[in-house]
Amino acid sequence: MHPAERQTDYRWPLLWAGALVALVGAILLGVAISESEAWAEVAGALGLSFVGWGGLVQSFDAGALALGAQKASAVAGPKALVAGTLVWLAGWGLIAAGIRRAPASGEGPSPAAGAPLYPRLARYRDFYWSTLGAYGGGILLAELVLLLLQTVLSSGVPSDLGGAAREAGGGLSLPPTIAFAIAFIVSMGVAFASGFVGASRAQRLSFPEATIGVFYLGLPVPILLSLMERVPSLQLALGYRLREVTYVAGLIGRPELAYWLVFAALVLALVLGINTGFIAAGSGRVDLRLGFELFVARRHVAVFRPSLLLGALAVLMFGIIPPLIVYFIIRGAEAAVERTRVKSLGLADPLAAASAQHRMKLHEQSPTMMMTALSVGGVGVGVMALIIVLSVMSGFEADLQQKILGTNAHAVVSRYAGDLPDYDKVMQQVKRVPGVVGQTPFIINQVMIASEGNVDGVIIKGIDPNTVGSVTDLPQNILPGGDLGHLEQPGKILPSSAVEDADGGKDAEEEDPIIGKPSKPAKPTVLPGIIIGRELAASLRVVVGDRVNVVSPLGTELGPSGPIPKSRAFRVAGVFYSGMYEYDSKFVYILLKEAQDFFAVKGATGIELKVADIDDARRIANQVVRVLGGYPYRARDWGEMNKNLFSALRLEKLVMGIILSIIIIVAAGLIVATVIMLVLEKRKEISVLKALGVPDGGIVKIFLAEGLQIGVAGGVLGLFSGLAWCLFIEKVGIKLDPEVYYIPALPVRIEPVQTALAVIIAVLVTYLASIYPALKASSVEPVEGLKAE
């Protein structure tokens, strides 16, 4: 054996004994620490030893302890710790003793000693520090760019542009979601560029440098952000500075999940940059031309054949069974006709018949072509399912958002404590803020409402009928028979027939108890009006004109027997239907002045706002607070007030998208198998290309282009079929029971960004799945591929 071929000799008895002894030592150390109840002090050091800069931090801690900068706390008894440490070290010593180099062979040098080294090995280097700096520094820089750019774009930068914005107290700021999109794209570009530069410098993929760079320079930022959600000291130190980042991360309900998803996306951009840099500069010079490689890949795999595309589209549109039945019928008929023709030709000219039969066999699909068709269909099914499911979920979200924003305001201005006695002046100041298109005062409280048939707890809201329509859809939600204007003119509310019958009619005369003669009744008292929801009206068994009593446990009144709850009678002026069961069963509306008198409130509880762009509601609300001078005023947008609901919907959509992406990942496995089969089939052709001077990067380009063709074809077919099914569901409709779902049909909303993202995911997955087979193809040596020919 040559010295360069020396191998490792493993002594398994020593290895197993050492592992057992080390395990015993670890158990002894754990018992010693548990007895001293010092896991809280030790856990931090153990965690640092596995992730990020742990070794460096522990080295500094050890140096500080040695210099006396810190006092070491006694975590356990000296004997137990010493025993456990010695046993643990002894175990690792046995493991080290069990690993030895095999003895060198006594043979002399080979006849090729002193010859030039193979160029691929001659250029090889174990480690590139510059590449490590590019990968690690790039991922860290991308994370910092994302955090800083998101904060700057969302918080606002002082600018001379836009005098109205400057007067409103803001600056050049963007909505949080748009700011995140811009920052995310820029940070992805930074990660991609760093990977490209590092791979171009090393002219190889450099997996060790990438792993070390990501683990030691990329992981600390997401770990720190995740700990910030749980460690109060970190929240106090960084929460205020990163409030825009945490707000966007909290939109899906789990900020930690958002941090790690963004980190995974940045790592993906780094990997794509590394692969692109290797392809572009793997031959020793930057070569971004793709004409020759695309030509070879297109002729080789033949993905864009009309028969393949139409067959896959038919399967996606009509299912797998009907197209397959039609396909086999047509193929069977063609084969029968062709065999009959060849047989007839063979009777006249056997040589021509043999040639025709040979051509017929060439037209039959090879296993590779069948795998290609299955791969295209698998990607198309994944994209189609992703588009349909996400569009339906977006439809439900849009319907729910429309109903919520139709009943509630886009933003609410209030005080941290107390009411707004000077709400008129506040409304005048708020009116100057750009983006505010409507505002109305309100008073809100919880009461009990009772009728002759039932009693229920509700939320009562005092409103201004003249301005409430500029903020909510309450006037449009009033059912026929009611009128919002009757709140200001309760005398126009006609009592229901049931009430009239109970009172004996309007013209019934009463007998005077003193003189004993009939007399005309006194004029009935005009009761203030109240608007209730349809579900609440059904629960109370009342209609427009019926009388209800509102009872408030707050602000009790003194009666003959002591304090009693405040109660007042109202007459139903209208019934509204918002389409949300929670609102239709728990909300009632009265006149603002009646609410002020009933709850003894001077002014209003707050001011509801309607903004021009609901996605920009948070920034406009912050500008309103700045215009009002900040504390004690506060403003909450619709996203914050309904955070739990919409966060759950976004998280559900995200999880559903990840689950459905598994279909694309399964299709990616087919792509790996297909490209590997292509590599095995074309080893001779690969060897010929390399012998003619095509570099490794060119071979990688060819097979990556083949995998990308499969992904693009499947993505386009899935996009077309997914949009077709969504339009079918939207136009034809899938009926639902309105009494159960509060919607008559399955809602569909096609979002362009979401739809494009489904196709991009499919293309990226197929690209990543093609990397390994492409690298295997580039490693084929010309001699190995041609020696069997």
Side-chain angles (χ1 to χ4, degrees), residues 296-518:
V296 174
R298 186 171 59 253
R299 294 294 300 272
H300 185 192
V301 75
V303 172
F304 296 100
R305 291 175 297 156
S307 59
L308 188 150
L309 297 179
L310 292 176
L313 182 61
V315 170
L316 294 177
M317 294 296 298
F318 305 107
I320 190 171
I321 302 299
L324 284 181
I325 293 176
V326 174
Y327 171 78
F328 284 121
I329 291 175
I330 295 175
R331 293 291 295 178
E334 288 180 348
V337 171
E338 186 66 18
R339 290 192 185 94
T340 303
R341 187 185 70 82
V342 171
K343 181 180 179 180
S344 302
L345 183 62
L347 295 176
D349 188 352
L351 186 60
S355 178
Q357 189 173 8
H358 178 68
R359 288 195 301 270
M360 185 176 64
K361 289 183 178 181
L362 290 178
H363 283 82
E364 295 180 355
Q365 290 188 351
S366 65
T368 303
M369 293 296 102
M370 182 61 67
M371 290 291 294
T372 302
L374 291 176
S375 300
V376 172
V379 174
V381 168
V383 173
M384 181 187 69
L386 198 57
I387 290 175
I388 294 175
V389 173
L390 293 183
S391 298
V392 171
M393 296 186 69
S394 296
F396 277 107
E397 183 180 1
D399 181 77
L400 184 62
Q401 177 178 313
Q402 179 182 2
K403 291 176 179 178
I404 290 177
L405 295 182
T407 305
N408 293 324
H410 297 171
V412 174
V413 178
S414 61
R415 285 187 176 184
Y416 282 97
D419 303 318
L420 293 175
D422 54 345
Y423 67 90
D424 292 329
K425 296 181 180 179
V426 174
M427 292 177 66
Q428 292 297 326
Q429 292 178 286
V430 173
K431 187 177 180 181
R432 301 200 304 266
V433 178
V436 177
V437 297
Q439 52 181 330
T440 182
F442 72 95
I443 295 175
I444 194 167
N445 219 324
Q446 292 183 346
V447 296
M448 295 180 63
I449 186 170
S451 67
E452 294 183 358
N454 203 352
V455 62
D456 204 346
V458 297
I459 297 175
I460 193 169
K461 198 171 184 180
I463 60 173
D464 180 7
N466 297 321
T467 59
V468 70
S470 64
V471 177
T472 67
D473 296 337
L474 181 61
Q476 291 79 23
N477 293 338
I478 301 296
L479 297 178
D483 192 345
L484 188 63
H486 289 173
L487 294 182
E488 293 183 307
Q489 298 176 342
K492 294 184 177 181
I493 306 175
L494 298 178
S496 65
S497 58
V499 174
E500 291 177 358
D501 293 341
D503 293 339
K506 288 196 288 185
D507 298 333
E509 296 184 349
E510 298 179 355
E511 183 177 349
D512 191 287
I514 299 177
I515 62 177
K517 294 183 179 180

Side-chain angles (χ1 to χ4, degrees), residues 239-282:
Y240 178 78
R241 293 179 176 84
L242 300 177
R243 63 184 184 278
E244 299 296 336
V245 176
T246 56
Y247 170 77
V248 175
L251 291 179
I252 63 172
R254 294 292 301 274
E256 301 90 345
L257 179 61
Y259 299 145
W260 288 103
L261 286 176
V262 171
F263 173 72
L266 294 179
V267 173
L268 176 61
L270 180 69
V271 171
L272 294 177
I274 292 172
N275 190 67
T276 306
F278 168 71
I279 295 172

